[in-house]
Amino acid sequence: MKLFKIRGGVHPEDRKGLSSERPIEPIPLPHLLHVPLLQHVGAAANPAVHRGQTVRKGDLLAERQGVISAPVHAPTSGRVVGIGRYPANHPSGLSVPTITLQPDGEDRWSDALVGTDDPFALPPEEIAARVAAAGIVGMGGATFPAAVKLNLRQRYRLHTLVINGSECEPYLTCDDRLIREQSEQVLDGVRIMAHALGVGHIIVAIESNKPEALAAMRAAATGRAEIEIAALPTRYPMGSERHLVFTLTGRESPARGLTADIGVVVHNPATAFAVHEALRHGRPLVERVVTVTGAAIARPANLRVPLGTPVAHLIEQSGGLREAPARLISGGPMMGQPLPSTRVPIVKGSNGVLALTAQEVNRREPMPCIRCGSCVGACPCGLVPLELVARTRAADLEGAVRLGLMDCIGCGSCAYTCPAHIPLVQYINYAKGEMAARGRARHKQIETKRLAELRSARLEAAKRAKREAMARRKRQQQAKAEGETPPLGNAEVGTNAEARP
Amino acid sequence: MIAPLLSLTLLGLALGTLLGVAARYLRVEQNPLQGEIEEMLPGSQCGQCGYPGCSAAAAAVAAGEAAVTLCPPGGRALVEQLAAKLGVSVDLAAIQDQGPRVAYIHERRCTGCTKCLKRCPTDAILGASRMIHAVIPDACTGCNKCYEACPQGCIEMRPLPITVPQWYWPKPVPAL
């Protein structure tokens, strides 16, 4: 099929060879599982179990709160030993509400889980409802609840479902392995999603540095005219939703809009696999494939990991560390975030654990910007990173916003290519965070004003009611004193009193 | 018949004109800026700035008597807005935002006297007479009014904890 060329981008050495030939392997259960209730974008799930309760694999641990949220299920059978807070898989090292589960070693699925033989007979809303109940979120790392994206057809005219198998981050091989080993199941999930979205055209897009995955997908899709397999050029950030859609269709998504605005919905192959499991077998999302790699790992591997497994357990299962890593990263090396410790659990959005040596990290001291423009050439969004950063450094965030700060996707191509090693994307991430914090502060100020006004209105109303009651009593007393009959209707007196200032 | 009609009409016209002229020339000057600034201020009348309420504070800012940094509950966001409005340059980095604070009620010592909830400008305290009170953190502005009103000393002003979705990377320290 015809592909369109995106602007900018970089071509980092992919280093996928470390783990790409390692089949997905299951791991023994750890001693404890720490299952966070906030593994997705949106509101944290609300605990539905109590301490000491015994649960089976797939039982509901916490239910979703609101539309943009996702429930959490038991990754194995065992006993709930704690409901509290535990450090999150997040660079801040802050804690989130977490349910701690002690596995009983039997790993028994709940009997209540039933799938359906023919998901294509179900109405689209029912598929989205089952996907929501299974706690499925975007597994490429964004962790946006998948059911919300499956319901987009209610508001947009959709025509194409794109499966984003580009996996453009170096080192990561989990989607590659999943497509290779379980192409039938992935494709089944894809077709179920297409049915839920009501689209007749499916494109499975895979970067050309994964020929085996391309071949597996082509073999699985033979005889299905609605499915196209696209071999993408290997270029970072091809996996960015809007860049991928541009590459395939030649159309740009509107700034700060969705790809659905141009009729395309993008999902990850691991999400498709989870949809297959949920619809065919009734199994909620309780495990995922994680790539454990990096030169500091003794035996890089792709592991099928129950959610909530501590990172330390994964490293142990990959033969341990060959040397002390210079940096531990959750996700890929370009957009991944440093891990605060190896105690933190694997969550729905963890696609990789990287233990990088000092040589791989290649940290250098930043030097002054000479305005060479390398970052401008590398920016896939057509921005001028050096100007954004100059304004951010000078605390002129409004100026940075005028130059398109909010259109930055944070891919890090600018910082990767910068010959002066300036942490460009780090400045931009700070600026975006600061702008969001200001937005929240402004929102709170408006809310405060509203509350204060409501209160003064209430006090005013109470005062007026008191005055009216007093005036009424006075009139009644007067009427009594004059020996006449009191006025007939209280309402009439009330309006009279109100008319007076 | 014609004389009283004429005289009353003339009288009315003359007095009306006089009133119109007086309204124009003897008008009380109010800075329009004051109203705009008052719109920006939180409006909780907490008095932390030292002025009796937000409209007095707005008047002082409009007259240039008070700094744009006067409002602690407004925080850095308000300082920035005010500075932009007045065309004043403020070094935002130098402002020590002490961070948002919210009231917290120690339930063991609360007697349910309702003194704090009557003072709260945003109705952020929930409670009833001789019932333990509680603060709704989302509505609290950290104005300290309840803190000062509590006879039991059971209110503590706590920094608002940062949550994972709200956290963001700090500004990189420039090497040069």
Side-chain angles (χ1 to χ4, degrees), chain A residues 90-92 94 96 337-338 367-368 392-393 426-427 430 433-434 437-438 440 444-445 448-449 451-452 455 458, chain B residues 38-43 78 80 118 120-123 137 139-141 162 164 166-169 171-172 174 176:
Chain A
H90 189 260
S92 65
L94 292 169
V96 289
Q337 298 285 320
M367 288 179 291
T392 304
R393 281 176 73 156
Q426 284 83 348
Y427 273 107
Y430 150 77
E434 177 72 25
R438 285 187 195 173
R440 280 195 299 273
K444 173 145 188 177
Q445 207 179 319
T448 302
K449 219 175 159 69
L451 286 171
R455 179 182 139 95
R458 197 193 71 221
Chain B
E38 204 180 330
E39 284 280 288
M40 291 177 182
L41 293 174
L78 178 67
E80 204 179 28
K118 283 179 190 154
C120 179
T122 52
D123 285 334
C140 177
T141 59
I162 303 166
V164 166
Q166 289 178 0
W167 183 89
Y168 60 92
W169 282 103
K171 192 173 181 174
L176 308 157

Side-chain angles (χ1 to χ4, degrees), chain A residues 199-477:
Chain A
V199 298
H201 186 206
I202 300 169
I203 306 175
V204 180
I206 300 171
E207 275 191 0
S208 51
N209 62 350
K210 292 178 269 292
E212 294 92 344
L214 274 166
M217 222 51 209
R218 281 203 178 107
T222 40
R224 296 197 186 281
E226 79 273 20
I227 302 173
E228 258 186 293
I229 312 291
L232 301 168
T234 306
R235 188 157 195 83
Y236 181 88
M238 191 54 79
S240 155
E241 188 169 81
R242 40 188 63 228
H243 292 93
L244 177 65
V245 169
F246 179 80
T247 306
L248 295 171
T249 66
R251 295 187 64 194
E252 246 183 90
S253 320
R256 285 173 294 283
L258 300 173
T259 53
D261 285 318
I262 54 172
V264 183
V265 172
V266 183
H267 278 287
N268 180 271
T271 314
F273 181 73
V275 168
H276 161 82
E277 289 281 296
L279 268 292
R280 295 279 181 183
H281 309 294
R283 290 177 185 163
L285 175 60
V286 292
E287 56 185 20
R288 69 156 297 142
V289 182
V290 182
T291 303
V292 185
T293 185
I297 294 282
R299 196 178 59 83
N302 298 294
L303 307 174
R304 189 176 295 286
V305 183
L307 300 176
T309 306
V311 167
H313 187 71
L314 264 68
I315 295 175
E316 215 173 278
Q317 295 306 317
S318 319
L321 294 170
R322 193 174 282 158
E323 59 179 279
R327 185 159 283 185
L328 269 170
I329 289 174
S330 173
M334 296 296 284
M335 286 186 75
Q337 298 285 320
L339 281 165
S341 90
T342 55
R343 287 169 62 206
V344 300
I346 289 296
V347 291
K348 290 174 184 174
S350 318
N351 42 14
V353 170
L354 309 187
L356 305 179
T357 59
Q359 194 204 347
E360 285 174 298
V361 173
N362 191 21
R363 191 188 167 83
R364 307 272 189 86
E365 280 310 308
M367 288 179 291
C369 175
I370 55 162
R371 302 178 69 84
C372 66
S374 301
C375 54
V376 183
C379 181
C381 300
L383 301 173
V384 187
L386 67 97
E387 284 295 330
L388 291 176
V389 169
R391 278 168 178 62
T392 304
R393 281 176 73 156
D396 174 21
L397 295 189
E398 297 295 337
V401 170
R402 274 197 299 279
L403 289 178
L405 177 75
M406 293 305 168
D407 293 319
C408 166
I409 57 166
C411 68
S413 299
C414 50
Y416 177 84
T417 195
C418 180
H421 314 293
I422 299 170
L424 292 160
V425 72
Q426 284 83 348
Y427 273 107
I428 293 174
N429 281 343
Y430 150 77
K432 282 199 248 179
E434 177 72 25
M435 286 313 295
R438 285 187 195 173
R440 280 195 299 273
R442 212 164 298 143
H443 175 74
K444 173 145 188 177
Q445 207 179 319
I446 293 165
E447 279 301 290
T448 302
K449 219 175 159 69
R450 194 178 62 84
L451 286 171
E453 275 162 12
L454 281 178
R455 179 182 139 95
S456 45
R458 197 193 71 221
L459 291 182
E460 200 53 48
K463 223 189 252 170
R464 207 175 46 224
K466 220 175 187 174
R467 253 203 325 260
E468 279 169 22
M470 226 145 81
R472 200 181 306 147
R473 222 177 301 138
K474 217 172 176 180
R475 284 178 160 236
Q476 280 174 353
Q477 273 171 359

